Amino acid sequence: MGNNIKNIKKTNLNIFKVPGGDVLHAIHKADPYLRGFGEVYFSKINAGHIKGWKRHKRMTLNLVVPVGNVLFAFIDSEGSTSHEIIGENNYIKLMVPPLIWFSFKGIDKPYSLIMNFADIPHDPEEVERKDINQINFNWEELK
């Protein structure tokens, strides 16, 4: 059921203004879309660079961008596409269920930081990958 693009969920996140530096909320145990805990990892993406395509067979992603802004692109098994820019200018969490292809592009200099709160630990047998040119997606029209 996770392979439909409509199953991607957006959750608004809180930013607490604090002297000396803000506090950015990311995950709460009461989150209705939280499916469990496997691991948390961070990925840096340089401005203008594109990473992907990936599709997880079992992993549910919870993506947050606390530093910079990142353009995420999604394609489901029916060929439907979606995209979302998240980060400092749109501070939300994206819950991406399994079986949806995704890729992402850094759009802030020098880099952006992505956090993934995954419901299962990383397993190289669980993820499929394609070269960025193997899926036809027009990144330039989304500027």
Side-chain angles (χ1 to χ4, degrees), residues 4-24:
N4 189 309
I5 210 110
K6 294 180 180 110
N7 291 332
I8 296 172
K9 305 294 185 206
K10 299 178 199 177
T11 304
N12 292 322
L13 299 175
N14 291 320
I15 299 175
F16 301 98
K17 300 291 183 184
V18 177
D22 297 343
V23 174
L24 288 78

Side-chain angles (χ1 to χ4, degrees), residues 59-120:
M59 182 185 287
T60 297
L61 311 172
N62 289 280
L63 303 169
V64 177
V65 176
V67 177
N69 292 283
V70 176
L71 169 60
F72 286 90
F74 304 99
I75 300 176
D76 67 20
S77 61
E78 298 170 2
S80 297
T81 63
S82 178
H83 69 277
E84 189 79 37
I85 296 173
I86 68 171
E88 294 176 36
N89 296 336
N90 183 29
Y91 193 61
I92 64 173
K93 176 173 53 83
L94 294 177
M95 187 281 296
V96 183
L99 302 175
I100 294 178
W101 287 101
F102 73 99
S103 182
F104 51 96
K105 180 178 183 178
I107 55 176
D108 274 348
K109 294 180 181 178
Y111 68 88
S112 297
L113 187 66
I114 302 162
M115 181 198 79
N116 179 24
F117 186 102
D119 66 334
I120 63 173

Side-chain angles (χ1 to χ4, degrees), residues 53 71 135-143:
W53 293 92
L71 169 60
I135 292 179
N136 187 21
F137 190 85
N138 189 347
W139 291 95
E140 293 304 312
E141 72 180 28
L142 298 177
K143 286 184 176 181

Side-chain angles (χ1 to χ4, degrees), residues 117-131:
F117 186 102
D119 66 334
I120 63 173
H122 173 73
D123 175 359
E125 300 298 316
E126 180 274 336
V127 65
E128 299 174 275
R129 298 174 191 274
K130 289 187 178 187
D131 185 72

